[in-house]
Amino acid sequence: MNDFNYSMISWLLNRIYWRGTLLNAENLPAQGPAVMVANHLGPLGPIGTACSIPQRMYPWIAADMVDREAAPEYLRLDFVEPSLKLKPPLSMLIARAISLASVPLLTGLGCIPVKHGDPQELTASVAVLREAKLVLVFPEDPALEMDPLTQMRPFQKGFTRLGELYYDAAGQPLPFYPVAVHGSKQVMAGEAIIFDPVNPRSVERRRLKHALEDKIREMYLRLER
């Protein structure tokens, strides 16, 4: 999908559903390479970032979401039943109907499928970054407990490897931008946190993970107040 079509879909989503506010837009990069890191907040995180951030992004997405066979079950459990409050068998019928549109749409948007233990998302992401584009990640760990204050789960740190892989490939430190999405339909952008190639790799992964998680939590609480 070209940039014009991406912009049109984002614009339509914003007009029909989101209609939110972007704060601190001056912190955003004019272009890539960069990694945008946001809280998930159910479906609001992906929708809010796509509608609010004007730059074209290439989001990480659960691989099942772009798999025609797996998508209905994923949608049933992740969206239809918790968000629409429907029960089987109606929930599966609705999930199948949604997947008929969502799978080709998400594939066309250039989403990068992510599957646990598969390094393909890292390889694909570095290729996107080397074209001076933006990658969008939602690194919360669904297996861990949610913080009731922020509705965030602790971050996984696998996405931070993009910093070292991009540095190895391009010889340049990669910026990571924290983005907080709030249920009030406000999105706040933070200043970049830059990959430091001097640190040992394991230390730098932990530093980036905690720095980004803490900053997004702080921005979320500012929006909450």
Side-chain angles (χ1 to χ4, degrees):
M1 179 176 289
N2 61 36
D3 291 351
F4 175 78
N5 289 340
Y6 176 92
S7 298
M8 283 298 298
I9 290 172
S10 298
W11 181 83
L12 285 171
L13 273 174
N14 189 42
R15 294 288 295 175
I16 295 170
Y17 174 73
W18 183 252
R19 297 186 180 184
T21 304
L22 174 63
L23 304 175
N24 298 351
E26 66 276 6
N27 289 330
L28 294 172
Q31 62 179 27
V35 179
M36 317 301 292
V37 185
N39 58 315
H40 207 291
L41 204 64
L44 291 184
I47 294 172
T49 50
C51 291
S52 302
I53 295 176
Q55 292 86 341
R56 169 73 188 269
M57 296 179 292
Y58 293 79
W60 279 17
I61 191 169
D64 284 353
M65 284 287 289
V66 290
D67 183 308
R68 291 184 182 277
E69 294 186 2
E73 178 66 6
Y74 185 94
L75 285 166
R76 180 181 73 83
L77 296 174
D78 189 66
F79 173 66
V80 175
E81 292 184 1
S83 297
L84 303 183
K85 309 302 182 186
L86 298 177
K87 300 293 183 183
L90 179 59
S91 60
M92 179 53 81
L93 291 173
I94 298 298
R96 286 200 179 103
I98 294 172
S99 72
L100 292 175
S102 65
V103 171
L105 175 62
L106 293 171
T107 302
L109 283 174
C111 294
I112 300 171
V114 176
K115 192 171 185 178
H116 183 67
D118 185 352
Q120 178 58 35
E121 65 263 19
L122 298 175
T123 303
S125 299
V126 171
V128 168
L129 293 168
R130 295 199 69 182
E131 295 178 0
K133 296 175 179 177
L134 304 178
V135 172
L136 170 64
V137 301
F138 301 91
E140 293 176 48
D141 188 337
L144 298 181
E145 187 175 351
M146 180 184 292
D147 176 3
L149 288 178
T150 62
Q151 301 181 59
M152 284 173 56
R153 302 177 192 275
F155 285 4
Q156 303 177 82
K157 63 178 183 290
F159 76 99
T160 63
R161 291 194 60 209
L162 291 174
E164 61 202 58
L165 294 173
Y166 182 79
Y167 186 82
D168 291 343
Q172 297 292 328
L174 182 66
F176 292 76
Y177 288 84
V179 178
V181 183
H182 192 268
S184 61
K185 295 192 175 180
Q186 295 182 92
V187 175
M188 181 179 288
E191 295 181 353
I193 297 171
I194 311 296
F195 169 77
D196 187 349
V198 175
N199 283 338
R201 296 289 169 91
S202 60
V203 172
E204 183 61 5
R205 291 174 196 171
R206 289 194 296 273
R207 183 190 76 87
L208 285 172
K209 180 257 189 195
H210 289 296
L212 288 159
E213 185 176 345
D214 291 346
K215 185 60 180 178
I216 293 170
R217 180 181 292 110
E218 174 197 321
M219 292 192 297
Y220 183 95
L221 291 174
R222 285 169 60 190
L223 293 172
E224 185 79 1
R225 290 193 292 269

